[in-house]
Amino acid sequence: MASGPPAQPAAATRPGISVPSIPLLGRDLTSSIVVFLVAMPLCMGIAIASGVPAEKGLITGIIGGIVVGALAGSPLQVSGPAAGLAVIVYELVRDQGLSALGPILVVAGAVQVAAGVFRLGGWFKAISPAVVHGMLAGIGVLIVVGQFHVLFDHRPLPSGLQNLAAMPSRMLGLSPTNLQVSEFAFLIGVVTIAAMVGWEKFRPAALRLMPGALVGVLVGTIVALLLGVEVARVQVPDSIFAAVAPPSGNAFARLLDPAVIAAAVAIAFIASAETLLSAAAVDKMHNGVRTDYNKELRAQGVGNLLCGFAGALPMTGVIVRSSANVQAGAATRLSAILHGVWILSFVAALPFVLKLIPMAALGAILVVTGFRLVSVKHATHLFRDYGVLPVLIWAATLITVVSTDLLTGVLVGIGLTMLELIPNLHRLRLRVYEGTEADTHAITLDGTATFVTLPKLAETLDRVPADTRVTIDASRLDAVDHTTAEMLRDWFQRRRASGQAVEVTGARGRIATLTEDRH
């Protein structure tokens, strides 16, 4: 992939106004419909997994599309409610009440805006991939064990360990000869999962853009209607505007509670990390404009501020909807904006359709989503390329998230990452020298490249012109930790994929393997 923006197709313009050409407009229109179809069941399912009404997720999806889509620093990324925040929101609503969520999101959004203004986006790149993926895997486990109970038309239990412990008894309580609501709900959930996974595996090429989540929900809903049983169904208001619930003045008084402020900072941190992780993944999928991380942070902050004032769920950039957007051929940010318009139009005009959807079907979609967050493949990649320590960081983060809470898990992971600094405590400094000779951009690295120095190194590499030959002298580079190594490998792969020459001299050990394409 190119590290800089390539030439874009010509667009029809008028004085002072830039609009997509007709072919690009068609691509964005098609992509927006695909993303809308992916987003609808996820917005509702994540809201329910978060312990709030389904419409709260729809409001976040609308704001994420229309507002954040227009402001985003990653034009092809789609924003909305994220499974990665479902667990922390569930715990907040359980412990603090739904009224506390609005003020918390206002503060979290303000923190994100400030982080973008003060150009702190690069520091989120310094979070170890082992910590981020361990966090997402822990969240995935919590979603699976929590939504497992929704498959039986029961509410999740207060903690992940309780949900896990109760799973056997829930299964043993099924009776094939004495069918009750629980049995019918479980049947609907199983059929939904089978339809979703089966469609994604065997769908015809002509319908490859039809999302599996939508197919699963449609099949689950049809089965529920055919069975004619009174399983729990989605409840949404007749007017989406009636679901907008600004926090009261009394609710903002809760910001005096240190626990509430800590929750706001945790949401800001986790939402920002997940957003920028998603943006980096989206950048690998296309050859268009690279992400402006600070602009993206500001856009997400504005979105979460608005979600706070609307009484909705927090948002992040989300990889499932974003990858659907890129794969469907989106060309500009118009696709993300339009998907928000379609959500608003649908819930405003056809709310009665949503009320037909069984809760078990949405729970089933979240079970599959949570399962896919537990990426053992990433753990094996860490072990293969970087040894035991990153895998231990991944596992410790996962286990702590499941057994305690999200913030503790992330802090444990970050703490363990510090162990990589110990062998290099005598020389943690990294000097980066740049120079230009003829058509070559020369970079010399001197010292130790760790997550502490990663933002400076990433900024240097990101400003290298896309059409320039690059030479990197690594003869004085003593060591590279796994966080920086991942960033360097991604950068080398983008340059290689776009046909841009990079020559590395003096590299040895792990450093010498960074230019290899091993993913």
Side-chain angles (χ1 to χ4, degrees), residues 453-476:
T453 58
L454 187 148
K456 177 175 70 173
L457 178 57
E459 184 179 350
T460 300
L461 296 175
D462 287 345
R463 64 171 174 257
V464 174
D467 56 351
T468 302
R469 182 174 177 269
V470 182
T471 63
I472 298 178
D473 180 2
S475 60
R476 288 181 282 175

mmCIF file of all heavy atoms in Angstrom, residues 453-476:
data_model
loop_
_atom_site.group_PDB
_atom_site.id
_atom_site.type_symbol
_atom_site.label_atom_id
_atom_site.label_comp_id
_atom_site.label_asym_id
_atom_site.label_seq_id
_atom_site.Cartn_x
_atom_site.Cartn_y
_atom_site.Cartn_z
ATOM 1 N N THR A 453 9.876 5.586 22.020
ATOM 2 C CA THR A 453 10.331 6.454 20.928
ATOM 3 C C THR A 453 9.522 6.264 19.652
ATOM 4 O O THR A 453 9.797 6.901 18.641
ATOM 5 C CB THR A 453 11.817 6.174 20.628
ATOM 6 O OG1 THR A 453 11.975 4.782 20.298
ATOM 7 C CG2 THR A 453 12.683 6.506 21.829
ATOM 8 N N LEU A 454 8.536 5.378 19.677
ATOM 9 C CA LEU A 454 7.772 5.053 18.465
ATOM 10 C C LEU A 454 7.087 6.264 17.828
ATOM 11 O O LEU A 454 7.130 6.413 16.599
ATOM 12 C CB LEU A 454 6.755 3.949 18.764
ATOM 13 C CG LEU A 454 5.987 3.388 17.568
ATOM 14 C CD1 LEU A 454 5.668 1.921 17.781
ATOM 15 C CD2 LEU A 454 4.680 4.147 17.325
ATOM 16 N N PRO A 455 6.429 7.150 18.588
ATOM 17 C CA PRO A 455 5.759 8.287 17.925
ATOM 18 C C PRO A 455 6.702 9.127 17.074
ATOM 19 O O PRO A 455 6.352 9.528 15.957
ATOM 20 C CB PRO A 455 5.191 9.091 19.108
ATOM 21 C CG PRO A 455 4.998 8.074 20.185
ATOM 22 C CD PRO A 455 6.147 7.127 20.038
ATOM 23 N N LYS A 456 7.929 9.374 17.577
ATOM 24 C CA LYS A 456 8.890 10.173 16.815
ATOM 25 C C LYS A 456 9.304 9.447 15.543
ATOM 26 O O LYS A 456 9.367 10.045 14.461
ATOM 27 C CB LYS A 456 10.113 10.473 17.681
ATOM 28 C CG LYS A 456 11.210 11.241 16.951
ATOM 29 C CD LYS A 456 12.347 11.631 17.878
ATOM 30 C CE LYS A 456 13.152 10.412 18.301
ATOM 31 N NZ LYS A 456 14.368 10.799 19.070
ATOM 32 N N LEU A 457 9.560 8.146 15.660
ATOM 33 C CA LEU A 457 9.970 7.372 14.490
ATOM 34 C C LEU A 457 8.838 7.269 13.472
ATOM 35 O O LEU A 457 9.060 7.422 12.264
ATOM 36 C CB LEU A 457 10.412 5.975 14.942
ATOM 37 C CG LEU A 457 10.838 4.999 13.844
ATOM 38 C CD1 LEU A 457 11.982 5.573 13.017
ATOM 39 C CD2 LEU A 457 11.239 3.652 14.455
ATOM 40 N N ALA A 458 7.618 7.033 13.939
ATOM 41 C CA ALA A 458 6.470 6.931 13.030
ATOM 42 C C ALA A 458 6.240 8.237 12.290
ATOM 43 O O ALA A 458 5.938 8.244 11.085
ATOM 44 C CB ALA A 458 5.226 6.543 13.816
ATOM 45 N N GLU A 459 6.379 9.347 12.992
ATOM 46 C CA GLU A 459 6.191 10.656 12.348
ATOM 47 C C GLU A 459 7.233 10.876 11.258
ATOM 48 O O GLU A 459 6.928 11.399 10.184
ATOM 49 C CB GLU A 459 6.277 11.761 13.402
ATOM 50 C CG GLU A 459 5.998 13.147 12.858
ATOM 51 C CD GLU A 459 6.056 14.219 13.935
ATOM 52 O OE1 GLU A 459 6.133 13.870 15.135
ATOM 53 O OE2 GLU A 459 6.017 15.412 13.577
ATOM 54 N N THR A 460 8.469 10.461 11.522
ATOM 55 C CA THR A 460 9.528 10.589 10.522
ATOM 56 C C THR A 460 9.214 9.782 9.269
ATOM 57 O O THR A 460 9.331 10.263 8.136
ATOM 58 C CB THR A 460 10.874 10.125 11.108
ATOM 59 O OG1 THR A 460 11.199 10.935 12.235
ATOM 60 C CG2 THR A 460 11.985 10.230 10.074
ATOM 61 N N LEU A 461 8.809 8.528 9.464
ATOM 62 C CA LEU A 461 8.515 7.664 8.323
ATOM 63 C C LEU A 461 7.296 8.135 7.549
ATOM 64 O O LEU A 461 7.261 8.054 6.313
ATOM 65 C CB LEU A 461 8.315 6.229 8.814
ATOM 66 C CG LEU A 461 9.533 5.551 9.456
ATOM 67 C CD1 LEU A 461 9.159 4.188 9.992
ATOM 68 C CD2 LEU A 461 10.679 5.437 8.464
ATOM 69 N N ASP A 462 6.292 8.639 8.250
ATOM 70 C CA ASP A 462 5.048 9.039 7.586
ATOM 71 C C ASP A 462 5.229 10.260 6.697
ATOM 72 O O ASP A 462 4.441 10.478 5.769
ATOM 73 C CB ASP A 462 3.952 9.312 8.616
ATOM 74 C CG ASP A 462 3.418 8.040 9.249
ATOM 75 O OD1 ASP A 462 3.683 6.953 8.690
ATOM 76 O OD2 ASP A 462 2.749 8.113 10.303
ATOM 77 N N ARG A 463 6.248 11.067 6.970
ATOM 78 C CA ARG A 463 6.421 12.259 6.127
ATOM 79 C C ARG A 463 7.381 12.029 4.953
ATOM 80 O O ARG A 463 7.681 12.953 4.199
ATOM 81 C CB ARG A 463 6.885 13.449 6.958
ATOM 82 C CG ARG A 463 8.244 13.338 7.609
ATOM 83 C CD ARG A 463 8.668 14.684 8.213
ATOM 84 N NE ARG A 463 9.897 14.547 8.967
ATOM 85 C CZ ARG A 463 9.954 14.492 10.289
ATOM 86 N NH1 ARG A 463 8.850 14.575 11.006
ATOM 87 N NH2 ARG A 463 11.120 14.369 10.906
ATOM 88 N N VAL A 464 7.853 10.792 4.792
ATOM 89 C CA VAL A 464 8.674 10.476 3.628
ATOM 90 C C VAL A 464 7.809 10.571 2.370
ATOM 91 O O VAL A 464 6.742 9.950 2.306
ATOM 92 C CB VAL A 464 9.280 9.066 3.746
ATOM 93 C CG1 VAL A 464 10.014 8.705 2.459
ATOM 94 C CG2 VAL A 464 10.215 8.983 4.932
ATOM 95 N N PRO A 465 8.197 11.323 1.361
ATOM 96 C CA PRO A 465 7.383 11.444 0.139
ATOM 97 C C PRO A 465 7.131 10.084 -0.502
ATOM 98 O O PRO A 465 8.010 9.200 -0.501
ATOM 99 C CB PRO A 465 8.247 12.332 -0.770
ATOM 100 C CG PRO A 465 9.133 13.095 0.176
ATOM 101 C CD PRO A 465 9.407 12.164 1.315
ATOM 102 N N ALA A 466 5.944 9.927 -1.020
ATOM 103 C CA ALA A 466 5.525 8.624 -1.549
ATOM 104 C C ALA A 466 6.343 8.206 -2.766
ATOM 105 O O ALA A 466 6.562 7.027 -3.004
ATOM 106 C CB ALA A 466 4.054 8.668 -1.909
ATOM 107 N N ASP A 467 6.805 9.165 -3.564
ATOM 108 C CA ASP A 467 7.478 8.841 -4.826
ATOM 109 C C ASP A 467 8.994 8.930 -4.713
ATOM 110 O O ASP A 467 9.696 9.116 -5.709
ATOM 111 C CB ASP A 467 6.976 9.767 -5.933
ATOM 112 C CG ASP A 467 7.151 11.239 -5.564
ATOM 113 O OD1 ASP A 467 7.496 11.528 -4.398
ATOM 114 O OD2 ASP A 467 6.934 12.098 -6.441
ATOM 115 N N THR A 468 9.518 8.801 -3.501
ATOM 116 C CA THR A 468 10.954 8.962 -3.274
ATOM 117 C C THR A 468 11.584 7.644 -2.843
ATOM 118 O O THR A 468 11.019 6.909 -2.031
ATOM 119 C CB THR A 468 11.204 10.023 -2.174
ATOM 120 O OG1 THR A 468 10.604 11.257 -2.566
ATOM 121 C CG2 THR A 468 12.696 10.232 -1.952
ATOM 122 N N ARG A 469 12.755 7.353 -3.382
ATOM 123 C CA ARG A 469 13.522 6.195 -2.942
ATOM 124 C C ARG A 469 14.037 6.444 -1.520
ATOM 125 O O ARG A 469 14.451 7.548 -1.188
ATOM 126 C CB ARG A 469 14.688 5.963 -3.891
ATOM 127 C CG ARG A 469 15.535 4.744 -3.566
ATOM 128 C CD ARG A 469 16.574 4.522 -4.673
ATOM 129 N NE ARG A 469 17.431 3.394 -4.348
ATOM 130 C CZ ARG A 469 18.582 3.500 -3.679
ATOM 131 N NH1 ARG A 469 18.980 4.704 -3.266
ATOM 132 N NH2 ARG A 469 19.311 2.433 -3.424
ATOM 133 N N VAL A 470 14.003 5.402 -0.674
ATOM 134 C CA VAL A 470 14.372 5.556 0.730
ATOM 135 C C VAL A 470 15.519 4.615 1.063
ATOM 136 O O VAL A 470 15.495 3.436 0.678
ATOM 137 C CB VAL A 470 13.177 5.256 1.665
ATOM 138 C CG1 VAL A 470 13.586 5.462 3.122
ATOM 139 C CG2 VAL A 470 11.995 6.141 1.327
ATOM 140 N N THR A 471 16.520 5.139 1.775
ATOM 141 C CA THR A 471 17.560 4.279 2.338
ATOM 142 C C THR A 471 17.556 4.458 3.854
ATOM 143 O O THR A 471 17.470 5.577 4.354
ATOM 144 C CB THR A 471 18.953 4.631 1.787
ATOM 145 O OG1 THR A 471 19.304 5.966 2.169
ATOM 146 C CG2 THR A 471 18.999 4.485 0.277
ATOM 147 N N ILE A 472 17.625 3.338 4.570
ATOM 148 C CA ILE A 472 17.643 3.367 6.037
ATOM 149 C C ILE A 472 18.925 2.697 6.515
ATOM 150 O O ILE A 472 19.176 1.528 6.207
ATOM 151 C CB ILE A 472 16.416 2.651 6.627
ATOM 152 C CG1 ILE A 472 15.124 3.373 6.198
ATOM 153 C CG2 ILE A 472 16.509 2.585 8.146
ATOM 154 C CD1 ILE A 472 13.859 2.706 6.685
ATOM 155 N N ASP A 473 19.728 3.451 7.242
ATOM 156 C CA ASP A 473 20.958 2.917 7.822
ATOM 157 C C ASP A 473 20.650 2.454 9.241
ATOM 158 O O ASP A 473 20.416 3.266 10.140
ATOM 159 C CB ASP A 473 22.037 4.010 7.829
ATOM 160 C CG ASP A 473 23.350 3.515 8.430
ATOM 161 O OD1 ASP A 473 23.426 2.331 8.804
ATOM 162 O OD2 ASP A 473 24.288 4.337 8.548
ATOM 163 N N ALA A 474 20.637 1.121 9.443
ATOM 164 C CA ALA A 474 20.317 0.553 10.745
ATOM 165 C C ALA A 474 21.548 -0.021 11.442
ATOM 166 O O ALA A 474 21.423 -0.787 12.402
ATOM 167 C CB ALA A 474 19.256 -0.541 10.589
ATOM 168 N N SER A 475 22.732 0.363 10.971
ATOM 169 C CA SER A 475 23.955 -0.214 11.535
ATOM 170 C C SER A 475 24.153 0.171 12.993
ATOM 171 O O SER A 475 24.831 -0.540 13.740
ATOM 172 C CB SER A 475 25.173 0.209 10.705
ATOM 173 O OG SER A 475 25.299 1.634 10.687
ATOM 174 N N ARG A 476 23.588 1.308 13.408
ATOM 175 C CA ARG A 476 23.735 1.749 14.803
ATOM 176 C C ARG A 476 22.460 1.525 15.612
ATOM 177 O O ARG A 476 22.317 2.043 16.715
ATOM 178 C CB ARG A 476 24.137 3.228 14.842
ATOM 179 C CG ARG A 476 25.579 3.466 14.406
ATOM 180 C CD ARG A 476 25.942 4.944 14.487
ATOM 181 N NE ARG A 476 25.407 5.686 13.367
ATOM 182 C CZ ARG A 476 25.493 7.017 13.235
ATOM 183 N NH1 ARG A 476 26.046 7.730 14.197
ATOM 184 N NH2 ARG A 476 24.993 7.615 12.173
#
